[in-house]
Amino acid sequence: MALIANFMIGIFDSGYGGLTVFKEIEKTLPQYDYIYLGDNARAPYGDLSQELIYNYSRQAVDFLFAQGCELIIFACNTASATALRRLQQEYLPVKYPGKNVLGVIRPMVEAVLELGPKKVVAVMGTKSTVDSGAYINEFANLDKSIKVVQEACPLLVPLIEASKEKEPQTKEILKVYTNDLKQCNPEVVVLGCTHYGWLWEEIKNNFSPETIVLESGQVVAKKLFQYLQRHPHYAQISDNPSRIFLTSGNNKKFDLAAKKFLGREIKSQTVKLN
Ligand code: DGL
């Protein structure tokens, strides 16, 4: 198969959460061009209907492929849980044959299993991700013996989008969300929402020191690295790799949040998604 020229990877999330994934992907695979797209104007997705999440995710896919992306990563559990399979099975083969969109849920489940035998795994996620049962199904496909306990945490994404991770109210809310999970003595807690990476430390403090709290960034970066090795036609690298940041929301606000998280200045542009 011929090498793909100007190989560009699109990274999509409803908002800032996917930056936790982009940061690790960029560290692991700096040689590629990236476009990050945050649908901040319509975030959070977590309480929306499955149909709406599907439609918004499809619009993001159309947008990113139109920008020249060859591969898209849904750095969003909510879109991965509710829209990804349908897009992969029904939409991509017809509209974009040969192009692919990858999600975060399967890599996270595989990463837990790679940690060795586990009895109880806790998943924290948006209402939509939890209701979809995507994590329960994915674990059941790979290892039926694991008990999966879940907690929907609908207040966390709005707090993170409003940059309130360090506020006392966020700590109090986290205690409520983690209390029941803690009673189940999970060996691993899966942060089943890419926004929660911003709260990794605060969440970790709510569980026993032995509990592993797994966030998507490093896991997805490693799995993408492996995927690209298995698909060598994507091997084309850029001489001068570009980073483009796009948001459907306020670009100044996006730049501030990105600076806080990525530790460097970026200049995003506002785009319209429809
Ligand atoms: N980062 C998204 C996820 O991983 C956030 C979902 C939302 O917008 O509610 O699920």
Side-chain angles (χ1 to χ4, degrees), residues 124-254:
M124 297 171 72
T126 63
K127 183 176 179 310
S128 190
T129 297
V130 165
D131 286 354
S132 75
Y135 273 99
I136 293 179
N137 296 338
E138 207 64 67
F139 272 108
N141 285 339
L142 298 176
D143 184 346
K144 286 194 175 30
S145 70
I146 293 180
K147 181 178 171 197
V148 181
V149 289
Q150 305 192 98
E151 184 77 33
C153 312
L155 295 176
L156 297 185
V157 171
L159 286 167
I160 293 164
E161 289 282 311
S163 295
K164 291 190 171 155
E165 311 87 86
K166 299 285 174 206
E167 304 223 342
Q169 77 198 83
T170 307
K171 281 205 173 86
E172 288 308 310
I173 289 166
L174 267 181
K175 267 192 209 139
V176 175
Y177 284 149
T178 51
N179 207 23
D180 287 350
L181 295 177
K182 208 172 150 186
Q183 308 304 318
C184 303
N185 294 319
E187 296 129 295
V188 183
V189 176
V190 170
L191 302 190
C193 172
T194 53
H195 277 71
Y196 302 172
W198 292 68
L199 290 169
W200 183 87
E201 215 178 317
E202 288 81 359
I203 292 173
K204 173 90 180 111
N205 289 340
N206 280 275
F207 290 92
S208 72
E210 303 79 52
T211 307
I212 298 166
V213 176
L214 205 61
E215 63 146 324
S216 339
Q218 288 182 6
V219 167
V220 175
K222 183 173 153 205
K223 295 288 174 188
L224 178 59
F225 178 86
Q226 292 166 349
Y227 177 86
L228 293 174
Q229 284 194 319
R230 290 197 307 276
H231 296 82
H233 61 289
Y234 285 142
Q236 184 74 33
I237 58 173
S238 204
D239 291 340
N240 186 15
S242 65
R243 310 286 184 254
I244 297 171
F245 295 90
L246 304 174
T247 172
S248 60
N250 180 311
N251 61 326
K252 298 265 174 331
K253 216 176 139 209
F254 189 95

